[in-house]
Amino acid sequence: MKLIRLKPGKDRSLLRRHPWVFDGAIAKGGGDAGETVRVESAEGQFLAWGAFSPASSIRVRAWSFDEAQRIDADFLRATLARAIALRTRLGIESDGMRLVHGESDGVPGLIVDRYGDTLVAQFTACGVERHKALIADALIELTGCARLYERSDTSSRKLEGLPEVTGWLRGSGPTALVLREHSWQLGLDIAQGHKTGFYLDQRDSRLVCSQYALRLQFKQMLNCYSYTGGFTVAALAGGAGHVTSIDSSAPALQQAAANVALNGFDAARASFMDADVNASLRQFVAEGRQFDAIVLDPPKLAPTVAHAERAARAYKDINRLAFKLLTPGGVLFTFSCSGGIGVELFHKIVASAGLDAGVDGAILQRLGGASDHPMTVNFPEGEYLKGLVVMKKQ
Ligand code: SAH
């Protein structure tokens, strides 16, 4: 068995059950890609069993902090079974859900989403890569799903020294699927779409948006960074009069238009713009356009704290423009999925955007990722998605 010995004082994070060991913390030892290693403190005290990643700056990801635990097929199967059982108990109002959320579910580097009877998995670290066949078999057996598609085409694979891989791992079938979420249907493509095909983490916020549309009767809504129109369909289902969706991805907008039709909404209630959001917002301000509700759900602008300052300016800019475009009493649904921007900082950014726009606002609600994307107390990196519902003063 391979041993990793840490430098003096570098045992603190593992003792607090944070699952990562960085290369700079290691005094000696190593292993093959994904091999299970025993991690010890400088004094020789057992700290964790983990998977070794020879190329990554996250050199070890912990499997277990229990010295008696064997990291074998039974352990992996039981960990996956626990993650899947949790989702069953959560009573998620969709047949699309995240079954395994990496570190937060004790399976570092593994994402598994379920869309009906199709599973889509991302293997983003050497440990889960090494046990891929075993994990694939266990997932099929535990879920009863017919097929499993691999979307290991994330940039994080490069940091692990792993090539991009996509394709069917178990079974086969069409990659274009239709998902039922709350009371609406959403088409997606697990091979062509972003991530595993869809942004499941915004499920609860789409419902919230639909409910506000119903109560406040939005006439004109703007959905920025719409992707395949999740918020568009949610708002139309709530009764919004008209929704303009903006995204820079033409295939995503085509799917968004198809999703409006799929739910039986009149095509006249939706328009789509293949454009840059920032430029479009400026253009709308210049034209004097106004909206009763605006969704801002940009991509990750600050992947880490190091990017936070520049990203903060970008977030502030789009929020400032959005505030200007709101009618009095209009509602802004604004999000950040950047791990590098915390809840408090995001709140400050939105507040100062309002100030710059000369707008007074009231925070009606705080939003976060859906419960099938859990955050654990020992892994703060797992908390990334945050949102605010802000009403512009009447
Ligand atoms: N709200 C969506 C998810 C948004 S993901 C949902 O509920 O499903 C972010 C989206 O922003 C992606 O679809 C991406 O294509 C788009 N995007 C990224 N940069 C953009 C830009 N500068 N202007 C417009 N869209 C952009």
Side-chain angles (χ1 to χ4, degrees), residues 267-315:
R269 292 174 66 197
S271 47
F272 302 91
M273 290 174 60
D274 179 352
D276 171 63
V277 163
N278 197 302
S280 306
L281 294 177
R282 282 172 203 282
Q283 183 195 326
F284 289 157
V285 170
E287 292 169 357
R289 293 272 300 265
Q290 295 266 281
F291 297 91
D292 307 306
I294 300 177
V295 176
L296 285 181
D297 187 19
K300 203 188 294 175
L301 301 176
T304 69
V305 179
H307 303 81
E309 206 178 300
R310 226 180 66 206
R313 280 198 292 276
Y315 280 115

Side-chain angles (χ1 to χ4, degrees), residues 140-157:
I140 290 290
E141 190 206 320
L142 290 164
T143 60
C145 283
R147 53 189 78 86
L148 168 60
Y149 193 85
E150 179 174 13
R151 278 296 302 269
S152 297
D153 53 350
T154 67
S155 56
S156 51
R157 291 239 333 162

Side-chain angles (χ1 to χ4, degrees), residues 295-342:
V295 176
L296 285 181
D297 187 19
K300 203 188 294 175
L301 301 176
T304 69
V305 179
H307 303 81
E309 206 178 300
R310 226 180 66 206
R313 280 198 292 276
Y315 280 115
K316 186 172 162 186
D317 214 28
I318 51 173
N319 279 280
R320 181 180 55 81
L321 293 163
F323 273 124
K324 286 188 181 234
L325 290 170
L326 280 180
T327 51
V331 180
L332 175 64
F333 300 87
T334 183
F335 299 93
S336 162
C337 62
S338 295
I341 306 264

Side-chain angles (χ1 to χ4, degrees), residues 46-70:
F46 170 85
L47 294 170
W49 299 110
F52 194 72
S53 287
S56 173
S57 62
I58 304 171
R59 204 48 68 87
V60 180
R61 287 176 173 79
W63 284 122
S64 170
F65 301 96
D66 175 3
E67 190 170 5
Q69 182 65 58
R70 281 187 55 144

Side-chain angles (χ1 to χ4, degrees), residues 194 199 202 206 225-227 231 247-249 275-277 297-299:
H194 296 175
Y199 292 87
Q202 287 283 40
R206 284 188 286 267
Y225 309 96
S226 66
Y227 188 50
F231 280 98
D247 202 282
S248 55
S249 157
D276 171 63
V277 163
D297 187 19

Side-chain angles (χ1 to χ4, degrees), residues 105-167:
D105 280 304
V107 198
L110 180 67
I111 297 295
V112 184
D113 289 339
R114 176 178 191 154
Y115 300 105
D117 65 354
T118 301
L119 298 172
V120 186
Q122 294 184 317
F123 297 79
T124 65
C126 291
V128 285
E129 178 76 10
R130 188 174 175 114
H131 301 292
K132 191 184 281 179
L134 199 161
I135 290 170
D137 288 338
L139 287 171
I140 290 290
E141 190 206 320
L142 290 164
T143 60
C145 283
R147 53 189 78 86
L148 168 60
Y149 193 85
E150 179 174 13
R151 278 296 302 269
S152 297
D153 53 350
T154 67
S155 56
S156 51
R157 291 239 333 162
K158 215 170 276 161
L159 303 174
E160 291 280 309
L162 298 169
E164 291 190 359
V165 189
T166 57

